[in-house]
Amino acid sequence: MRKLTILLALLGLALLTGCTAWFGAGSVMKAIVSIGAIGFMATVVAQLAVDAILGLAWHAACRDIPFVQLVVSRMIRDAAASCLPFSQLGGMVLGIRATCSSDLFAPRGKGRPIDGSEAACANLVDITTEVMGQILFILTAVLCLVAHQQSSPFARPVIIGLVLLTMGIAGFVYTQRRGGDLLKRAGRMLGHNMAAQWQDAMLSSADSIQERFDAIWSHPRRILEGALLHYVGWLGSAATIWVAYYFLGAHLSFAGAVAIEGVACGIMSVSFLVPAGLGVQEAAYITLGSAFGIAPSLSLGLSLLRRGRELVIGIPMLLLWQAMEMRALRHKTPAKPEEAPATVPVREPTQPPQD
């Protein structure tokens, strides 16, 4: 898997380089420079607003964890996925770690320690509600694309991928509702091949994880609120694309931005094995932008600006995660006990023998 990931990354990088050379590096750089510092900062601020909406969506489903704690964890999870593309499931792992330790940066009196099982359940539920909102967003994007171009070649494959994504998320939800039972069955089946204490720990952890999942899924209205807020967040990501195109000088309606971002999102979901969507994101933006009359150099510049925005936000968040880990480690390190001063044994004087 690691070799395949590296190979796909190299192929994507070659595709990105080829697109830049084909459309002219000079025109692409001109498009990037034309946005200016104000335009680039506008896209960064818009993305930060989207991150706040995503944190609010997570908090709607998992209200036991403070809002600030979830926003920080979410941004660290996204930063790992975008800035550390060679780590399989790295964003998920760092998201769980950040959820466990981000209480150090929560408002005073509101943060609380989160154990690993609760953090894992919270992250899995957030990803589930995010995909639910993503399905609705991609469907909206396909409708916008068909309204603009009825014979679009992207409509049918994206709809097929949407059906497969819906089937996958349905199985994912079923696994969360019955995950503890499945883990218990696996523990009993492997009981003859593992130590007794390992089997007991596996069964007890299955009960703990299932209790946490049941506690979250026992409020379906909260799950629905989280999915709808994620849908709003996806619309916000389309708004960031619209803002970027505006500063690049392209005339695009918000419905067009929804179509481009949603269909590109569906294409990148299918090509999830390609690290950070190298080459795939650029090709999708170029092709979809051309359908709306946008020059390929502008769409390629937009994709590169998006990657720059991810680095501007992601690198500080990864540094913040390192600071959180160091602070948590410092809190867990027990203080060395003070050494007692060395005492010199005092010999009692010997009494002379009595007569």
Side-chain angles (χ1 to χ4, degrees), residues 110-351:
K110 295 185 178 181
R112 64 180 181 88
I114 306 294
D115 59 15
S117 60
E118 183 179 1
C121 292
N123 277 268
L124 288 173
V125 170
D126 181 54
I127 291 175
T128 303
T129 55
E130 181 180 8
V131 176
M132 290 178 179
Q134 182 184 21
I135 291 172
L136 184 58
F137 176 63
I138 295 175
L139 182 60
T140 305
V142 171
L143 294 177
C144 292
L145 182 63
V146 172
H148 175 76
Q149 186 181 16
Q150 295 182 357
S151 60
S152 175
F154 289 101
R156 181 175 295 179
V158 170
I159 291 176
I160 294 174
L162 193 62
V163 173
L164 296 177
L165 187 62
T166 305
M167 295 172 60
I169 198 61
F172 199 44
V173 171
Y174 176 81
T175 302
Q176 294 180 30
R177 300 303 302 272
R178 298 291 183 268
D181 297 336
L182 296 175
L183 196 58
K184 285 183 179 180
R185 291 178 186 177
R188 294 190 185 99
M189 291 175 59
L190 300 175
H192 300 290
N193 299 324
M194 65 172 60
Q197 61 269 25
W198 289 5
Q199 186 180 13
D200 294 339
M202 187 174 182
L203 295 178
S204 62
S205 64
D207 290 331
S208 175
I209 291 174
Q210 191 59 52
E211 288 177 1
R212 297 188 185 281
F213 273 133
D214 291 340
I216 297 175
W217 285 96
S218 62
H219 300 88
R221 184 175 179 178
R222 296 180 181 180
I223 299 295
L224 180 60
E225 289 178 4
L228 291 177
L229 284 172
H230 271 297
Y231 174 68
V232 175
W234 284 111
L235 291 176
S237 66
T240 62
I241 296 298
W242 180 82
V243 170
Y245 270 127
Y246 172 79
F247 281 100
L248 285 171
H251 300 285
L252 181 68
S253 64
F254 181 72
V258 171
I260 293 176
E261 179 66 10
V263 176
C265 174
I267 295 173
M268 292 181 65
S269 298
V270 176
S271 59
F272 64 93
L273 286 177
V274 182
L278 283 172
V280 178
Q281 174 180 297
E282 285 72 21
Y285 278 143
I286 290 172
T287 306
L288 292 168
S290 298
F292 287 86
I294 299 175
S297 58
L298 289 181
S299 296
L300 183 56
L302 170 71
S303 180
L304 296 177
L305 285 170
R306 176 175 176 173
R307 295 192 183 279
R309 183 196 66 198
E310 291 174 351
L311 292 176
V312 167
I313 298 176
I315 292 178
M317 295 308 301
L318 291 177
L319 294 176
L320 176 62
W321 169 68
Q322 287 292 305
M324 291 163 55
E325 291 288 338
M326 292 173 63
R327 187 173 177 181
L329 184 63
R330 200 175 294 122
H331 283 193
K332 291 180 181 179
T333 303
K336 289 185 67 176
E338 296 182 0
E339 296 182 359
T343 58
V344 179
V346 179
R347 296 180 61 184
E348 296 182 358
T350 57
Q351 297 180 357

Side-chain angles (χ1 to χ4, degrees), residues 100-115:
C100 292
S101 56
S102 60
D103 63 295
L104 299 172
F105 290 84
R108 183 173 297 179
K110 295 185 178 181
R112 64 180 181 88
I114 306 294
D115 59 15

